[in-house]
Amino acid sequence: MDNFIGPLAALLAALFWACATLLYSRAGSYLNAAQLNLVKGFVAVPLLALFALLSGELLAFDGSAAAWLLLASGVIGITIGDTLYFGALRRIGPWYAMLFEYLAPPFAALIAWWWLQEAMTVRELGAALVVLMGIFIIISERSPQSQTHRLSLSGMAAGTGAALCQALGLVMAFEALASFAVSPLQAALVRLAAGTLALTVALLLLKPKIMGQTKAALRHTSIPWLMVAIIMGTLLAIWLQQTAIAYLHPGLAQTLLATAPLWLIPIQWLRGEPPSTRSIAGALVAAVGITLLFWR
């Protein structure tokens, strides 16, 4: 059963993130990227702390070297990585930004091999490449929206930096979970709290009026939909992400976490937006790769 916990957690995290993405686009139109990040953290961190307290894991955290690894990984992956990703979105658009996001799985595999001496097996590597191929087929399909953006050096640098930070943060969290007595819930709480705190301090220094502006924007925001998006996309997704990397190689976990576009296909179909033949083909290719991971 342990062989399936990691892959299932990663796939569920990707599903929740796909659903949350649609909800964020519906509920967060009055919030800019920085404000949305703040609200996500301010809601999700107390909820994670409450769950950790009720389960007894909050007081059990010993604050060893694992805490510093998790704090650093939260700042690198959430504060810096997300900021660079949003910068890539503005400069080169969502389609190209997503293409650069899929540099994260190979980055995670290389960092884990160099830093932790953790190598993927031949079967895991082959399955991961098949999954990435299927995802690339889907997201590389040209849409009318992509016509309005062109690749720029600054946008490509931001996209590459975001993928690198995401991979580095994940590998650092993997090291903490593998080497110390840290649970996925504790890891999720420390990482998100560190990322939110660093983002808050940075924004207060750069934009002192950010809190008042965010409060004003929330008056025009659909709070129920936003709360559902935060619970699914931040609270549950990050918790499941940490569970996945507790059981999987970082490169493999990052690959499965990148399957959010696959989940968007049935979701959009249910919303009356049938997928293209190319999207279906890409989904089938990725499904073959995922099947190889579960095949024993």
Side-chain angles (χ1 to χ4, degrees):
M1 184 62 185
D2 288 350
N3 292 332
F4 299 115
I5 293 177
L8 286 174
L11 292 172
L12 280 175
L15 170 60
F16 286 144
W17 178 243
C19 294
T21 298
L22 296 177
L23 292 173
Y24 279 133
S25 65
R26 178 174 180 175
S29 57
Y30 290 94
L31 296 165
N32 62 33
Q35 292 170 331
L36 193 56
N37 257 339
L38 279 179
V39 174
K40 284 163 51 181
F42 286 163
V43 173
V45 169
L47 288 176
L48 277 172
L50 177 61
F51 290 154
L53 180 62
L54 293 175
S55 65
E57 295 187 23
L58 181 62
L59 300 178
F61 189 67
D62 60 5
S64 62
W68 295 106
L69 272 175
L70 292 169
L71 288 170
S73 71
V75 173
I76 292 172
I78 296 174
T79 307
I80 303 176
D82 285 354
T83 300
L84 288 172
Y85 180 69
F86 290 132
L89 282 176
R90 290 194 300 269
R91 289 173 173 81
I92 59 179
W95 282 87
Y96 287 132
M98 267 200 290
L99 287 175
F100 279 93
E101 187 180 0
Y102 289 103
L103 290 173
F107 277 157
L110 288 173
I111 294 171
W113 171 75
W114 171 74
W115 184 8
L116 308 176
Q117 301 299 310
E118 289 276 349
M120 297 172 67
T121 66
V122 174
R123 183 177 61 82
E124 290 175 340
L125 182 60
L129 291 175
V130 174
V131 172
L132 289 176
M133 184 185 303
I135 296 172
F136 182 83
I137 290 172
I138 296 171
I139 66 173
S140 61
E141 182 175 17
R142 184 168 295 275
S143 73
Q145 188 177 10
S146 67
Q147 300 286 351
T148 61
H149 295 87
R150 292 185 178 181
L151 286 173
S152 65
L153 185 60
S154 61
M156 291 189 292
T160 304
L164 181 59
C165 287
Q166 185 178 1
L168 181 56
L170 186 139
V171 172
M172 294 173 75
F174 174 85
E175 167 72 353
L177 286 163
S179 304
F180 302 95
V182 181
S183 73
L185 177 56
Q186 292 168 338
L189 174 59
V190 175
R191 289 195 72 206
L192 186 59
T196 302
L197 178 61
L199 179 64
T200 302
V201 172
L203 287 175
L204 286 176
L205 292 175
L206 297 174
K207 298 180 179 180
K209 298 180 179 179
I210 189 69
M211 294 301 179
Q213 294 170 348
T214 303
K215 185 177 179 180
L218 284 172
R219 296 193 187 101
H220 306 284
T221 301
S222 176
I223 300 298
W225 286 117
L226 182 60
M227 288 296 295
V228 174
I230 292 173
I231 290 172
M232 294 183 69
T234 304
L235 177 68
L236 296 177
I238 290 183
W239 191 347
L240 286 166
Q241 179 200 60
Q242 301 308 300
T243 302
I245 63 177
Y247 287 89
L248 294 174
H249 182 280
L252 186 56
Q254 187 67 72
T255 300
L256 293 179
L257 290 168
T259 57
L262 300 181
W263 294 110
L264 286 176
I265 294 176
I267 293 172
Q268 290 177 334
W269 206 333
L270 291 173
R271 297 176 66 195
E273 301 174 10
S276 65
T277 303
R278 184 188 183 102
S279 295
I280 295 175
L284 291 175
V285 171
V288 171
I290 293 172
T291 302
L292 292 175
L293 292 177
F294 283 95
W295 190 270
R296 291 290 185 267

